[in-house]
Amino acid sequence: MSARKTRLFSPMARNFDKDAPLESFYELNLQIFTEDAEMVENQKPEELPIDLTSEAHIAADKTSINYRKFLMQLGMGENYTN
């Protein structure tokens, strides 16, 4: 939405308890996102380092790694804010 505000859309699906009400499923996911929000909102620096060697990455970071590579191809600087 801006350099300092993001809107997250997260598709959710389940292949278990298909007959159970969805409310508890939504509540669990809201709890997880709420717990993560405090950590994410307090990360410093706020800028995204483009240099992939400045952080340690794991397989789950594949999307972020590809995004940073794309930003490098665009010629972005060492950090990306907007």
Side-chain angles (χ1 to χ4, degrees), residues 15-53:
N15 62 358
F16 57 90
D17 288 336
K18 294 178 184 178
D19 296 326
L22 290 174
E23 193 59 37
S24 63
F25 180 68
Y26 293 145
E27 288 172 4
L28 174 62
N29 281 279
L30 179 60
Q31 176 186 347
I32 293 167
F33 289 136
T34 302
E35 290 170 0
D36 290 350
E38 182 179 354
M39 181 186 311
V40 171
E41 291 169 0
N42 288 300
Q43 289 180 346
K44 304 290 180 214
E46 293 177 350
E47 291 80 23
L48 174 68
I50 303 298
D51 180 5
L52 293 173
T53 63

Side-chain angles (χ1 to χ4, degrees), residues 53-64:
T53 63
S54 66
E55 298 177 319
H57 299 279
I58 61 173
D61 296 328
K62 184 176 182 179
T63 301
S64 176

